[in-house]
Amino acid sequence: MSTSTGHETRIRIERDSLGSLAVPTSALWGIHTERAILNFPISGLQLGTHRHLVRALAVVKKAAALTNTELGLIPDDIGLAIASACDTVASGEVDDAFPVDVIQGGAGTSTNMNANEVIANLALESLGHPRGSYEVIDPIGHVNKCQSTNDVYPTAVRLALVFALEDLLKQLALLSESFDERGHAFADIPKIGRTQLQDAVPMTLGQEFTAFAVTLEEDQRRLREAAALLRECSLGATAIGTGITADPRYVERVIDKLSAVSGVQLTRAHDFVEATWDTGAFMTFSGALKRTAIKLSKICSDLRLLSSGPQTGLAEIRLPPRQAGSSIMPGKVNPVIPEVINQIAFLVAGADVTVTMAADNGQLQLNAFEPVIAHALLQSLSWLTNGCDVLRELCVSGVEANEALLRSRARASTAQATALLPVLGYAVAAGVAHRALVSGQSVFDIAVSEGLLQPEQAERLMAADSCGDAISVVTACQ
């Protein structure tokens, strides 16, 4: 039934087991969603902001509708209308029809019902019926046929994470390539490596940047390994894993159908009862995300330190200037891009704690806190994806080396004494280093002046040392 208020806002009255409630006539959602809007004014972030989750919900519902239609559990015209509505939802056209807050009670029931109602109303319109005509297509009786929030929601969350991870992996690969490119560009620039913030041994700036590329490549592999656990799902388990209310034929077919519809190869959980409450895959995936975030943060801290100064710090590299750094200090430029990545990492680490606490506090046959798990992980993925893109585009691709300073420091550093070890031994080399530190001369100049090395030996050692080639250092004087 539709009516209007004194402000001409048109509404329809819908009913559920708790009573009746007014829903805007224009709304694609229904009474269950409307109650959730009233009950959970928490974060101000609507479900529709998690694009991959909305898409995943639509994909799960489509697989269910097609399976139910093939089995004759719902009429063909209704099943096909539901499937078509799912395609519309998956496309992103109606994300604003998912207004439920991302933080919600009920183990995701509000999210599941939001999807059921939107899909039902889209299907109704496609068949020429007004929104809210649930006697024709019912959100529960048809769209949610053979399903429960407790198998639909975790399955959709898993799929959403797989979808979102592809975006992050793409950006990580591009970022790794950017570091590798800088590594090749800096391959012949010598510098002094540091341990515990103290000068240690010679290396090249290229080696430093190439190592950044390699570690990001490794994390792509680790993320894929963690995501493999997400491909095991419990669709068909319904409420607590016993499959109650679901046709046994549906249970046998729906996961294969979901694999076909989603393009993601999924497997059926070994034990549906265990799978309904187990959130271990989310914890493992969260840990992998945290690992990547912390590595990115470490790299960005290194970039900030290496670019510090630019006159009284390390000043070994120059980051692209992106904005004025102070309202009162003229000319100051801050490393704002690495700083924002650091902050993303802090939040991802905090999200991992949230996931851990939520996993710990699920009781008995269901974890009621999967909505906060989903939000924490999807937000982490989104921010890391955006952060990698920004870091590559606005920072790494434009990093420059302060080559003259690096070469001067490398030649003057007492760390060069390490190259003397294979020839002179530790005790003699340590003495040379000490005298170089006191006098300000290079270790090679002192070694030559004291007759410990021939000039040509020193030249070969310096050349090998600047490449960080330990084998060449050992063989240069043989």
Side-chain angles (χ1 to χ4, degrees):
M1 180 181 72
S2 297
T3 185
S4 61
T5 68
H7 299 289
E8 300 301 323
T9 300
R10 297 189 60 79
I11 61 171
R12 63 178 186 265
I13 303 299
E14 293 193 10
R15 293 172 178 80
D16 63 7
S17 60
L18 298 181
S20 60
L21 195 66
V23 178
T25 303
S26 61
L28 277 170
W29 63 82
I31 187 171
H32 295 277
T33 304
E34 193 68 26
R35 289 195 189 282
I37 293 171
L38 298 174
N39 288 336
F40 309 122
I42 308 301
S43 71
L45 296 174
Q46 296 184 349
L47 182 64
T49 62
H50 285 320
R51 170 89 282 277
H52 290 297
L53 181 54
V54 173
R55 174 190 170 196
L57 285 163
V59 169
V60 170
K61 294 295 177 180
K62 181 177 182 179
L66 292 176
T67 304
N68 284 323
T69 302
E70 289 176 5
L71 294 173
L73 300 177
I74 56 177
D76 288 356
D77 60 337
I78 291 177
L80 293 177
I82 291 173
S84 177
C86 290
D87 289 338
T88 299
V89 172
S91 73
E93 294 178 37
V94 293
D95 284 354
D96 58 354
F98 289 82
V100 178
D101 200 280
V102 295
I103 306 300
Q104 56 189 259
T109 297
S110 295
T111 295
N112 185 39
M113 286 307 304
N114 194 167
N116 288 333
E117 290 172 339
V118 169
I119 291 167
N121 282 312
L122 286 171
L124 283 167
E125 287 191 328
S126 73
L127 296 179
H129 300 283
R131 297 175 184 181
S133 303
Y134 300 142
E135 69 279 3
V136 179
I137 299 179
D138 184 70
I140 296 176
H142 293 113
V143 182
N144 201 62
K145 182 74 173 177
C146 292
Q147 302 154 65
S148 164
T149 293
N150 301 350
D151 63 340
V152 166
Y153 186 75
T155 298
V157 171
R158 287 166 179 257
L159 262 182
L161 295 175
V162 172
F163 292 154
L165 178 61
E166 289 305 310
D167 294 341
L168 175 58
L169 290 174
K170 177 182 177 181
Q171 290 303 328
L172 278 171
L174 291 172
L175 180 58
S176 179
E177 290 171 8
S178 188
F179 274 117
D180 189 58
E181 184 279 325
R182 289 290 80 195
H184 282 86
F186 302 151
D188 297 325
I189 302 175
K191 64 163 286 179
I192 300 301
R194 299 175 180 86
T195 59
Q196 294 152 288
L197 295 179
Q198 305 300 303
D199 295 350
V201 297
M203 65 182 301
T204 66
L205 187 62
Q207 289 174 318
E208 193 163 29
F209 273 72
T210 298
F212 293 153
V214 170
T215 201
L216 295 180
E217 289 173 3
E218 289 179 351
D219 267 48
Q220 292 171 59
R221 291 192 288 272
R222 299 295 86 77
L223 285 166
R224 287 190 178 95
E225 289 168 1
L229 298 175
L230 299 172
R231 295 171 182 264
E232 180 184 286
C233 66
S234 61
L235 193 61
T238 66
I240 63 169
T242 62
I244 191 170
T245 75
D247 188 298
R249 297 171 298 162
Y250 168 92
V251 177
E252 292 298 323
R253 297 186 188 189
V254 71
I255 291 177
D256 287 341
K257 182 68 71 177
L258 180 56
S259 294
V261 170
S262 67
V264 176
Q265 187 57 50
L266 302 166
T267 60
R268 176 176 174 169
H270 173 69
D271 186 302
F272 272 178
V273 173
E274 184 272 343
T276 303
W277 61 258
D278 179 38
T279 54
F282 296 136
M283 284 192 287
T284 298
F285 187 70
S286 181
L289 279 182
K290 183 179 72 171
R291 167 188 159 128
T292 299
I294 297 305
K295 283 193 176 186
L296 282 167
S297 184
K298 187 272 181 194
I299 290 170
C300 285
S301 293
D302 284 355
L303 294 177
R304 291 191 295 112
L305 189 58
L306 291 171
S307 65
S308 61
Q311 293 162 319
T312 59
L314 295 185
E316 294 185 354
I317 60 173
R318 289 182 288 269
L319 305 182
R322 289 302 169 191
Q323 63 188 72
S326 173
S327 59
I328 64 168
M329 292 173 275
K332 188 171 187 288
V333 179
N334 294 331
V336 293
I337 302 303
E339 286 173 349
V340 80
I341 305 302
N342 289 134
Q343 292 174 81
I344 291 172
F346 305 157
L347 285 161
V348 172
D352 182 57
V353 174
T354 297
V355 171
T356 302
M357 296 302 297
D360 176 46
N361 282 278
Q363 292 90 32
L364 303 178
Q365 278 68 60
L366 181 67
N367 189 305
F369 307 115
E370 287 187 1
V372 78
I373 291 176
H375 173 62
L377 293 176
L378 289 168
Q379 178 179 265
S380 293
L381 280 162
S382 176
W383 288 8
L384 281 171
T385 299
N386 294 339
C388 287
D389 187 30
V390 167
L391 181 60
R392 174 179 57 87
E393 286 281 348
L394 301 184
C395 184
V396 175
S397 63
V399 172
E400 297 176 348
N402 192 344
E403 186 171 352
L405 179 66
L406 284 166
R407 290 188 181 279
S408 173
R409 285 178 175 173
R411 183 172 182 83
S413 174
T414 57
Q416 299 281 7
T418 307
L420 304 179
L421 261 64
V423 181
L424 303 180
Y426 182 88
V428 175
V432 172
H434 175 72
R435 292 190 290 278
L437 188 62
V438 172
S439 68
Q441 293 179 276
S442 77
V443 294
F444 293 110
D445 289 342
I446 289 179
V448 171
S449 68
E450 293 181 356
L452 299 171
L453 289 177
Q454 294 299 316
E456 61 272 17
Q457 289 179 307
E459 288 298 326
R460 289 198 300 271
L461 283 169
M462 282 190 289
D465 200 34
S466 68
C467 297
D469 188 345
I471 296 176
S472 294
V473 170
V474 173
T475 61
C477 297
Q478 291 179 349

